[in-house]
Amino acid sequence: QVQLVESGGGLVQAGGSLRLSCAASGRTFSNYVMGWFRQAPGKEREYVSAINPTNTYYADSVKGRFTISRDNSKNTVYLQMNSLKPEDTAVYSCAAGPAVNSFRYWGQGTQVTVSS
């Protein structure tokens, strides 16, 4: 079992930056693929980014603006978000699983609001 707790959300103006963190419990954090997803009001959950031990992956909508990273010594995954746009407004959740298309554990999410 893995428990995930996100932090770092907030209100920011368009063009600004935020860094989200996701702290994971468990001793096998380094074995998991970690991902970030988001859900805007009235919309379905959307994949944002993922990271495994050797690669990073991004949705086209965030490529070049967001950077995912992980610190296995701290059991934490990060999402650095730059050049934020109002359409990035959503609840951002992190997830963990054995593969990029197989996330099993989810955090509660953190709200990101980008004002125009």
Side-chain angles (χ1 to χ4, degrees), residues 34-47:
M34 300 299 297
W36 286 97
F37 291 77
R38 66 187 182 186
Q39 187 167 20
K43 294 187 177 181
E44 294 188 354
R45 186 169 61 197
E46 174 188 28
Y47 159 80

Side-chain angles (χ1 to χ4, degrees), residues 52-88:
N52 65 17
T54 56
N55 291 300
T56 58
Y57 307 88
Y58 299 95
D60 288 343
S61 59
V62 306
K63 200 171 294 183
R65 300 187 298 123
F66 291 11
T67 302
I68 191 171
S69 62
R70 66 192 297 165
D71 185 339
N72 290 335
S73 69
K74 296 182 179 179
N75 281 13
T76 301
V77 62
Y78 305 97
L79 186 68
Q80 177 67 44
M81 306 186 295
N82 299 329
S83 302
L84 283 161
K85 306 174 182 180
E87 51 263 43
D88 294 319

